Amino acid sequence: MQRYHADRLADYICTIRYEDLPPEVVSRAKAAVLDNVGLAIGGADSPASRAVLAVVGKIGGAPEARTLRGGHRLPAHLAALANGTLCHSNDFTDTILKTVVHCGPVVVPAALAIGERQALDGRTTLLLVVLGYEIAGRIAAAINSKPAMVHHKKGFHATSTCGVFGAAAIAARALGLSGADTANALGHAASSASGVIESITGPVGADTFRTHPGKAAHDGILAALFAEQGLTGPHTIFEGRDGFLRAYSDADRYSAEALVDGLYTGFQIMDVAVKYHNGTHAIASAVDALQSITARQSIEAGGVESIEAYVPSMHAYIGGDDQATLYRPPSYSKAQMSLPFTLATALVHGEVFLSQYTQAALENPVTLEVAARVKVIADPEMDRMQNAGKWPARVRVRMKDGTVHEGSVEYPHGSPQRPLTPAELERKFRRLCDGKLDRRRQDGIIEVVDRMERVEDITVLTSLVAE
């Protein structure tokens, strides 16, 4: 019988063991869990989160898994839908920069929900997290790698279109499916792969994209449940004439080999960049470059003549074509995609965190005045650096007195090349939880995640978050 790519991935999904994970991979999985749990707590009051929690609460069903906020016990797929939305509701999630896919808000909610349903221990749940990153990351590498990024340029949101495969892999392993049924689950997942970025790039901005990871987690779990019941899926789903790769890319712009090359020899989770600034990762390096200037030189907003940001073309146009909304973003979603606004925010407020996106912050006259002086330049040199695997930016600040300050970075803070320290990760978690959880519960969550490989039942964590 011919072995297709889905079969080979299914073999990996079924056979990878916790003992195969190096210590640094386990540590990265724990960091992903803590980061996404914090994001879920911090995002619980967002409009997207409130809407999805209201819907799943009305649907109800078997009490298999908890929503991390909102007090619901639901079928695992519905809990994952809610929790994925909670995690992504502020777009503060991690990124594999080479493919611009946010695995965390799909993978962690799927692993926690199916882990709770199946009463799994912490070791197994950590393995599921690593597995979800691996499969979603490999699908993204096959379909959306730089420099072509055809999938993204067609308008697809790789987080959801590729994330659904990671969630299916997680659920298939948790359910103990055979290799054949796991391949069936991947086949089902492909027919649920969806999500376009018009809600990000459109002229006003909308919250649809904030639900995409939850939808992917939901659909991936359903894919595995279908396979468990004997529903067959096409094992040719990747390389087939009408398969995922051809349907979601152009004929010669994908790499089927990326799906399976190097299995067992490396881990996609090690390529994850954790966001230090709240907003699309396309703003991160420019903000870091600006902060490298302000770290050595005090700059008053009123004394700035202009700010020039030299960035890759993809980053220059990430917020869409409407220049007016980039300089005066009408919504949270547009502000997060605006280099002028985020650079001005970083200069005026010293950081880009949740509090910089309130309605009052969007209308702050000082921020908007500085934003109006920002010029974003699509720089061919930055394109060359990005195509070589970097994530660069260069910023030049011209003062009214004629002084010029420059800063540049090749990788953003939080990337594998410039990782956050454990203290920085903890600080981000606590800031997301402040006002939502008291210090005792924050300490408890951190302690449980730190010893997760020794936790006998993952509900020890989910109940502590959700109580």
Side-chain angles (χ1 to χ4, degrees), residues 89 118 140 174 241 247-248 308 319 348 374 413 458:
S89 64
Q118 300 299 112
R241 187 197 69 181
Y248 285 74
E308 298 169 353
V348 173
V374 175
H413 192 40
I458 197 58

Side-chain angles (χ1 to χ4, degrees), residues 145-355:
S145 291
K146 296 193 292 278
M149 299 197 74
V150 172
H151 187 64
H152 182 88
K153 291 174 183 176
K154 283 178 172 288
F156 289 111
H157 192 193
T159 297
S160 49
T161 58
C162 303
V164 67
F165 293 97
I170 286 169
R173 178 60 183 262
L175 294 171
L177 299 189
S178 67
D181 282 339
T182 297
N184 287 337
L186 295 175
H188 299 324
S191 284
S192 297
S194 63
V196 295
I197 57 175
E198 181 63 20
S199 62
I200 298 173
T201 59
V204 176
D207 285 333
T208 303
F209 77 100
R210 303 186 191 281
T211 70
H212 287 174
K215 186 67 163 51
H218 168 280
D219 290 352
I221 291 174
L222 281 184
L225 291 172
F226 290 158
E228 185 183 37
Q229 295 303 314
L231 189 65
T232 59
H235 291 209
T236 55
I237 193 57
F238 296 115
E239 64 268 61
R241 187 197 69 181
D242 298 315
F244 178 78
L245 299 183
R246 289 177 182 266
Y248 285 74
S249 186
D250 288 339
D252 59 348
R253 308 302 288 276
Y254 58 81
S255 171
E257 292 75 19
L259 295 169
V260 294
D261 280 354
L263 279 172
Y264 296 97
T265 63
F267 294 91
Q268 294 285 322
I269 199 170
M270 298 306 295
D271 289 335
V272 165
V274 178
K275 284 185 181 176
Y276 194 63
H277 310 297
N278 186 23
T280 176
H281 239 124
I283 62 100
S285 292
V287 172
D288 284 339
L290 177 62
Q291 290 186 336
S292 74
I293 297 171
T294 58
R296 64 178 187 266
Q297 176 70 46
S298 178
I299 294 179
E300 295 294 328
V304 173
E305 178 69 30
S306 66
I307 299 175
E308 298 169 353
Y310 297 84
V311 297
S313 300
M314 185 183 112
H315 298 179
Y317 305 116
I318 191 69
D321 299 326
D322 189 329
Q323 293 295 300
T325 62
L326 288 178
Y327 283 89
R328 297 187 68 91
S331 64
Y332 182 16
S333 58
K334 292 306 293 184
Q336 289 185 294
M337 305 294 158
S338 167
L339 262 173
F341 182 83
T342 52
L343 285 172
T345 294
L347 183 68
V348 173
H349 299 285
E351 66 173 1
V352 183
F353 208 76
L354 299 186
S355 58

Side-chain angles (χ1 to χ4, degrees), residues 327-465:
Y327 283 89
R328 297 187 68 91
S331 64
Y332 182 16
S333 58
K334 292 306 293 184
Q336 289 185 294
M337 305 294 158
S338 167
L339 262 173
F341 182 83
T342 52
L343 285 172
T345 294
L347 183 68
V348 173
H349 299 285
E351 66 173 1
V352 183
F353 208 76
L354 299 186
S355 58
Q356 276 73 54
Y357 292 106
T358 64
Q359 192 58 40
L362 297 184
E363 298 170 358
N364 183 296
V366 178
T367 304
L368 293 175
E369 185 180 350
V370 174
R373 302 176 200 164
V374 175
K375 182 178 182 181
V376 179
I377 301 159
D379 186 349
E381 177 58 25
M382 298 291 110
D383 286 335
R384 285 189 287 272
M385 293 174 69
Q386 186 179 59
N387 291 339
K390 299 179 180 180
W391 198 261
R394 179 164 56 92
V395 171
R396 179 180 295 138
V397 180
R398 298 182 184 275
M399 306 301 292
K400 292 178 180 177
D401 66 4
T403 307
V404 177
H405 306 286
E406 290 196 17
S408 63
V409 299
E410 293 185 340
Y411 301 95
H413 192 40
S415 64
Q417 296 80 10
R418 298 177 59 205
L420 300 187
T421 65
E424 288 172 327
L425 285 166
E426 180 177 327
R427 178 175 180 268
K428 178 182 176 182
F429 171 78
R430 291 191 184 279
R431 291 192 69 192
L432 289 165
C433 293
D434 284 345
K436 309 286 180 63
L437 301 183
D438 61 30
R439 188 79 176 191
R440 177 190 63 81
R441 282 179 64 192
Q442 293 178 28
D443 290 344
I445 293 167
I446 292 170
E447 187 270 334
V448 169
V449 173
D450 187 56
R451 63 176 179 88
M452 195 165 158
E453 71 273 27
R454 300 190 299 278
V455 170
E456 294 184 359
D457 189 332
I458 197 58
T459 58
V460 171
L461 174 61
T462 55
S463 61
L464 184 59
V465 178

Side-chain angles (χ1 to χ4, degrees), residues 28-29 31-40 68 80 83-89 92-96 100-113 128-130 132-134 136-137 158-160 162-164 166-167 170 212-214 216-217 268-269 272-275 428:
R28 192 65 61 90
V33 171
L34 185 66
D35 192 43
N36 280 276
V37 165
L39 291 169
L68 296 177
N83 294 336
T85 303
L86 292 173
C87 290
H88 197 52
S89 64
F92 210 168
T93 49
D94 61 29
T95 313
I96 297 179
V100 197
V101 61
H102 309 296
C103 296
V106 181
V107 166
V108 173
L112 293 180
L128 296 182
V129 169
V130 174
Y133 274 89
E134 190 68 22
T159 297
S160 49
C162 303
V164 67
I170 286 169
H212 287 174
Q268 294 285 322
I269 199 170
V272 165
V274 178
K275 284 185 181 176
K428 178 182 176 182

